[in-house]
Amino acid sequence: MISVSDALDHLFSLANSLPAETIPLSQANGRSLAAPVSANRDQPPFSASAMDGYAVSEADAVPGATLDVIGEAAAGHSFDGHVTQGQAVRIFTGAPVPAGASRVIIQEDVQRIGDTISISENLDHGFHIRPAGGDFRRGQHIESPRVLRPSDIALLAAMNIAEVPVMRKPRVAILSTGDELVMPGEVPGPDQIIASNSFGLQAMLRDLGAEARLLPIARDTKDSLAMAFSLADDADLMITIGGASVGDHDLVGDVAQDLGMERSFYKIAMRPGKPLMAGRLANGAMMIGLPGNPVSAMVCGHIFVQPVIRAMLGLGQSTAPRLSAPLAAPIPPNGPREHYMRARLENGTLTVFENQDSSLLSILSQANALAIRPPNDPAQNAGSHLQYLPI
Amino acid sequence: MISVSDALDHLFSLANSLPAETIPLSQANGRSLAAPVSANRDQPPFSASAMDGYAVSEADAVPGATLDVIGEAAAGHSFDGHVTQGQAVRIFTGAPVPAGASRVIIQEDVQRIGDTISISENLDHGFHIRPAGGDFRRGQHIESPRVLRPSDIALLAAMNIAEVPVMRKPRVAILSTGDELVMPGEVPGPDQIIASNSFGLQAMLRDLGAEARLLPIARDTKDSLAMAFSLADDADLMITIGGASVGDHDLVGDVAQDLGMERSFYKIAMRPGKPLMAGRLANGAMMIGLPGNPVSAMVCGHIFVQPVIRAMLGLGQSTAPRLSAPLAAPIPPNGPREHYMRARLENGTLTVFENQDSSLLSILSQANALAIRPPNDPAQNAGSHLQYLPI
């Protein structure tokens, strides 16, 4: 048996980084930036007023001074002339500060009569000018890799980046296997259940920034499996669920090997989970075989598939950061395998569900965290801190 | 001036809840469940084996017992006969437990020779059977409202829910206004800058589950604004950015009033921010007018637009939960207005950026939290706890 972290190292060695592609800015949120992007301009491109008021030369900014208003500057409409002593230009937020002006007197500090202003006694000390390039300068970088967020999108726009280099989305094909499975909406036979893992994993993969599609359910025959594999020809990653041990045969592994897969089995010291199959198909695609048990498949999705997708997106070879929270109630000792226990984080404390049977989707759906127990972790009291992964 | 929470109450009173729609399960992740959904079946639908092994009657589960293997049960293929004393059925995980059997002996506890098994001395105590309905029973509910996550999608699939009632996505039209603005990719004039707020808000709104589209930039004329408003005819929410005070005129407000808007201005005791315009247009759409300052627009998006979208999605009238973390470094006292300071949470501690100028998108892009200072909050030392919103 190997540790979760050793298994991840094996998986990372199979994960190809994907090529970059260029997409319009309005589609770039949530995507992984593929290369540093540099600003096409300074922001602001000129000294700009930070307030509505009057632009004056510093020497005129004295309480009681009376100035002639010689023009107006608004956002998008600069004042073309020059401000000299005794003069002021009416100015609005975002407007270029006119030549000769070095300070903006806010309108609250001014009394205007006709085209004359007088500066009030309680003049503030602010200059109210945003210097050119104060936000960023031409050539300044947004570093990669990073997952672009809304504030990055706003910054890229301000930098005049209309098209953004991002990593292509990993194309993932998801294959559920088993004679017992039917699709949601079908009428199952008495021995049958509804395929659920594939739908849960598809949702998870899309949240991670992958393109994920479901292949038709494969039956427990080599022909059916081979047909399904053939439909995944353009996938970067093939995920199979279940079927690694059907009857006494390992049909999925056999078919994958017929397709040229170099196969590894990892017997991983974890719960819930089973030996994980992984390898590379002859067409270059990575393959991960997940256990068929509903909760095991979803937990292995969080623990193994999520870091693989991030690696494919160029985001490094690391696991999701583990957080820590105190327990709401005591829990019994752990066995010899690392245990990812379904738990609920509420008001800062972790409640570990009592029933950890790996078939219970109803419990998984209530969970928002996987509490992580190291091998042979002793019993823990309420209040002791446990590591967890938000899910 | 009113508080942020009073302003939100006004906004909630304007936010219509949207109608429900029914969509395929594979598109339901991230959507707001519109009505409780109940399971169409029991899961498992039959008592199922939790392990690979042999199904026997409890009386035969004794170390040293020798049993005849009379058949096989696999997932999707039940054993049709009855297990009587002295008999066993080879069984695999997920298979229906045959009539007459009440316990599964795991294969590790058995020695098999031909069609005979003998039970080893270190027989475990487990029954290894998942009872019918142990995960959920027909009629059991997934409660609404809730935002569906991948584990909910898996659970809905298992319940045989192929189509899901969700709230329709709010349709949001975003209108940037100002003669100074050009679109990313254009060549700005010397007085111009690139529209950035609209792109950042579009990304934010999509993350919140809205359909968000950008209207053409409106120029600072009534005609241009009226044209842009007319393009937003089917929107549930119209968001304008900037233009509330152009020169000495409030063009956006004037045009909205011409279109029948009942308008409210909220002068809110917060930073960064400005008076927020809100109201309802004659066509029933809600309108929110955001300030044009880049960071103010994005912060007002987090503080005001996010709760409004959640309310439209039927998720209640509440703000995002505030978290708390210790400060990495001391900060000066706050002024009389609630201050949402750009900050970075790293390794559990909050660092508040020194430069809080509301024009700096480069700072906002580095921030992952808004540290919240109450009005007149005194100076805080390193280590003291501050509330924050993750962004």
Side-chain angles (χ1 to χ4, degrees), chain A residues 145-156:
Chain A
R146 68 189 294 164
V147 176
L148 295 170
R149 302 178 308 130
S151 54
D152 299 315
I153 301 298
L155 180 57
L156 285 163

Side-chain angles (χ1 to χ4, degrees), chain A residues 29-114:
Chain A
N29 186 42
R31 300 293 297 269
S32 171
L33 189 63
V37 172
S38 64
N40 285 329
R41 61 203 317 260
D42 294 347
Q43 175 66 18
F46 39 73
S47 288
S49 181
M51 299 292 278
D52 292 347
Y54 292 85
V56 302
S57 67
E58 168 62 4
D60 281 338
V62 269
T66 301
L67 307 172
D68 295 332
V69 179
I70 60 167
E72 184 174 303
H77 301 282
S78 56
F79 173 73
D80 281 340
H82 198 274
V83 178
T84 56
Q85 211 172 343
Q87 295 181 328
V89 163
R90 175 74 170 125
I91 197 165
F92 298 100
T93 306
V97 175
S102 52
R103 181 164 169 179
V104 171
I105 312 287
I106 64 172
Q107 60 195 17
E108 289 81 357
D109 288 350
V110 159
Q111 208 192 6
R112 178 167 179 169
I113 298 168

Side-chain angles (χ1 to χ4, degrees), chain B residues 5 26 37 62 80 107 131 133 142 146 166 175 232 287 368:
Chain B
S5 116
S26 67
V37 172
V62 266
D80 280 340
Q107 60 195 18
I142 298 184
R146 67 189 297 163
V166 297
L175 176 58
M287 177 184 151
N368 60 10

Side-chain angles (χ1 to χ4, degrees), chain A residues 193-218:
Chain A
I193 59 173
I194 319 295
S196 58
N197 297 326
S198 47
F199 285 85
L201 283 164
Q202 182 184 46
M204 185 191 294
L205 283 158
R206 287 177 175 166
D207 283 351
L208 293 171
E211 261 178 24
R213 70 178 203 275
L214 304 187
L215 299 172
I217 293 168

Side-chain angles (χ1 to χ4, degrees), chain A residues 26 29 41 77-78 90 130 135 149 152 157 160 179 185-186 191 206-207 248 357 361-362 365 367 391, chain B residues 26 29 77-78 90 130 135 149 152 160 179 185-186 188 191 194 206-207 248 357 361-362 365 367 391:
Chain A
S26 67
N29 186 42
R41 61 203 317 260
H77 301 282
S78 56
R90 175 74 170 125
R130 296 183 170 131
D135 192 358
R149 302 178 308 130
D152 299 315
N160 205 5
D179 287 348
E186 291 183 38
D191 299 353
R206 287 177 175 166
D207 283 351
D248 289 318
D357 185 290
L361 282 172
S362 54
S365 161
I391 61 169
Chain B
S26 67
N29 185 44
H77 301 280
S78 57
R90 175 75 170 125
R130 297 185 169 129
D135 191 358
R149 303 178 309 129
D152 300 315
N160 205 5
D179 288 347
E186 291 184 38
D191 300 352
I194 319 294
R206 287 177 176 166
D207 282 352
D248 289 319
D357 186 290
L361 283 171
S362 53
S365 162
I391 62 170

